[in-house]
Amino acid sequence: MSNTSLILIIITTALVNNVVLSQFLGICSFLGVSRQIKTSASLGAAVIFVITISSAVANLLYTYLLVPLQLEYLETIVFILVIAALVQMVEMFLKKTSPAIYKALGIYLPLITTNCAVLGVALTNVQNEYNFVQSVVAGFGTAVGYTIAIVLLAGIRERIDESDIPAPFRGAPVVLLSAALMSIAFMGFSGLAL
Amino acid sequence: MNQYTERIYNGMIKENPCLVLMLGMCPTLAVTTSAINGLGMGLSTLAVLICSNLVISLMRNIIPDQVRLPAYIVIVATLVTVVDLLMQAYVPNLYSALGIYIPLIVVNCIILGRAEAYAAKHPPLLSTLDGLGMGAGFTAALTLIGLAREFLGAGSVFGHAVLPKSVEPIGIFVKAPGAFLIIAIIIAVMNAVGIASEANKKVEGCNGCCTSCADLTSCTSEKKEVAQR
């Protein structure tokens, strides 16, 4: 496998098929935890961490457990349980080994279990028939795309907070409108000749 | 109104999961490119929701409290797999249009939310009706959003062209940004006419569906963390 295809996977997953703005996965935390750049960057870091690990584990389980046993149809159940268990384990591991990272990411880890992006990546990797390295790279790229989107939105929202918005649009509508404009901007990437 | 019809009314209107509680935003935004996709997604979620509420309600005295969330997830994931296989077999076109969002019903917050908030504490018949009401409310909202996007973006209704050829449809509404636009407009209208919606609380953080149904302790600790800064 050449290096170019891996770079291609990163660009596709992070920008062209951005997980939030074109796939609509992880919308809850995208809207909920994007008030400040600092918190959204921490959440983004936690998401990168979890998605990269979980795509690796999901790929190994699928190739070496589900396929040999012909239990591919159980992928949804297996993946969601593995992700939930994995997040717990990562949390405990970080707590013991590196309190500094735990302090920065710890509070976000439980939120990530129900982030549909994690399960979404695992399922998409299976659908695209990615091998181990490709799965990990695709997971990493997707999570980077998520981080880019949420940090950008947080930047916009910090500005919005200080501006005068018509009353009905205050709160959720203006955030969704910002997301719509970002989504239009990201549509530009689909014009990339890849 | 007796307590049974009240459940249906509650799910469809008063606590409409999609438009009032703002749960399950991912499928709401993703699959509503056409009315038929919205309807299909709504009905599959409805089926899972009714069954999961029934099963969880029947098992509510057996499942130990400490492991209830993993137990619910296993039940929901099993039901979703059943629906997934059935759709693959009987409605292949819809199945391929909805794609990855069918297995992702597992992480739809409406289902775990109703399990935790209602089915775990109420008898089977009421829980089933609660699932029916919530599911119907979700289906209605998704179909309406799909209808609006399809009409504006493709000039058709349920796949039948209704606008004359001379009228150019606004293509952006069936693309990704259109989803955000339509929902933003709907919530703005609801704000303007004074229908209380959870949407504005949600963007304030910590009221997102992911937080409310899965882990409330982490949410409060986050609030503390933010307050300390």
Side-chain angles (χ1 to χ4, degrees):
Chain A
M1 186 183 32
S2 63
N3 288 328
T4 36
S5 75
L6 289 183
I7 294 169
L8 203 70
I9 290 179
I10 290 209
I11 294 177
T12 317
T13 48
L15 299 175
V16 182
N17 287 331
N18 186 286
V19 63
V20 183
L21 297 168
S22 85
Q23 309 289 305
F24 302 111
L25 299 178
I27 293 285
C28 298
S29 51
F30 177 67
L31 298 177
V33 198
S34 57
R35 269 175 83 76
Q36 291 163 325
I37 294 184
K38 210 175 148 199
T39 39
S40 36
S42 313
L43 176 67
V47 168
I48 294 180
F49 197 70
V50 169
I51 292 193
T52 313
I53 297 177
S54 75
S55 3
V57 175
N59 180 274
L60 291 177
L61 270 178
Y62 188 79
T63 332
Y64 296 107
L65 188 71
L66 295 184
V67 174
L69 296 176
Q70 298 182 321
L71 289 174
E72 288 93 337
Y73 65 91
L74 286 181
E75 56 175 13
T76 316
I77 304 180
V78 171
F79 286 175
I80 187 79
L81 286 178
V82 165
I83 289 166
L86 189 79
V87 174
Q88 286 279 314
M89 269 164 56
V90 168
E91 197 184 348
M92 288 191 284
F93 180 76
L94 284 182
K95 210 172 187 172
K96 286 265 181 244
T97 53
S98 59
I101 302 182
Y102 179 75
K103 215 169 166 234
L105 307 183
I107 50 168
Y108 300 106
L109 286 172
L111 304 186
I112 294 173
T113 321
T114 44
N115 188 329
C116 38
V118 185
L119 182 59
V121 174
L123 294 170
T124 324
N125 285 345
V126 169
Q127 240 171 33
N128 292 343
E129 294 175 359
Y130 283 158
N131 63 27
F132 180 72
V133 180
Q134 285 169 319
S135 298
V136 176
V137 170
F140 177 75
T142 310
V144 168
Y146 176 86
T147 311
I148 294 174
I150 195 168
V151 170
L152 285 178
L153 183 70
I156 298 174
R157 286 187 64 179
E158 285 188 355
R159 295 285 180 105
I160 287 177
D161 273 351
E162 288 155 21
S163 43
D164 185 27
I165 302 155
F169 279 91
R170 275 181 210 147
V174 74
V175 177
L176 287 164
L177 283 181
S178 319
L181 293 175
M182 283 171 67
S183 175
I184 292 176
F186 270 74
M187 270 172 73
F189 288 114
S190 58
L192 284 178
L194 291 174
Chain B
M1 205 186 305
N2 67 33
Q3 58 177 341
Y4 298 106
T5 44
E6 190 271 337
R7 272 297 97 202
I8 311 263
Y9 170 77
N10 182 58
M12 290 213 46
I13 313 283
K14 210 174 101 208
E15 287 187 8
N16 187 302
C18 207
L19 298 174
V20 180
L21 296 185
M22 289 293 149
L23 294 178
M25 288 301 276
C26 302
T28 307
L29 291 161
V31 302
T32 49
T33 48
S34 72
I36 197 78
N37 283 358
L39 183 66
M41 185 70 205
L43 288 179
S44 3
T45 311
L46 172 87
V48 174
L49 191 54
I50 291 180
C51 299
S52 73
N53 263 10
L54 176 65
V55 173
I56 288 167
S57 172
L58 286 171
M59 294 176 75
R60 69 187 190 281
N61 297 325
I62 309 169
I63 299 174
D65 208 37
Q66 301 88 334
V67 292
R68 64 183 196 287
L69 282 179
Y72 297 163
I73 290 177
V74 175
I75 293 170
V76 175
T78 313
L79 293 166
V80 169
T81 308
V82 171
V83 169
D84 186 282
L85 292 174
L86 284 175
M87 290 184 71
Q88 206 171 345
Y90 294 107
V91 279
N93 287 339
L94 187 64
Y95 181 79
S96 56
L98 297 179
I100 193 174
Y101 296 98
I102 295 288
L104 283 179
I105 296 177
V106 179
V107 280
N108 188 325
C109 321
I110 299 174
I111 295 177
L112 265 190
R114 289 328 285 176
E116 176 80 353
Y118 198 86
K121 301 177 195 110
H122 292 86
L125 183 60
L126 272 177
S127 301
T128 312
L129 285 171
D130 182 74
L132 179 66
M134 283 285 161
F138 186 66
T139 310
L142 249 63
T143 313
L144 279 178
I145 297 168
L147 211 58
R149 284 182 69 188
E150 192 186 346
F151 180 73
L152 289 170
S156 58
V157 170
F158 280 101
H160 303 290
V162 286
L163 287 180
K165 281 227 166 67
S166 54
V167 183
E168 183 75 26
I170 315 162
I172 197 128
F173 278 103
V174 288
K175 299 216 173 74
F180 289 112
L181 274 178
I182 287 276
I183 308 268
I185 294 167
I186 290 176
I187 300 172
V189 170
M190 284 170 69
N191 281 348
V193 297
I195 301 175
S197 160
E198 294 282 318
N200 298 322
K201 271 192 227 157
K202 182 172 185 153
V203 293
E204 301 302 316
C206 268
N207 277 296
C209 55
C210 309
T211 33
S212 55
C213 58
D215 195 303
L216 287 164
T217 48
S218 69
C219 182
T220 37
S221 63
E222 185 195 4
K223 269 183 186 151
K224 271 182 216 146
E225 191 94 350
V226 172
Q228 278 166 6
R229 276 186 199 141

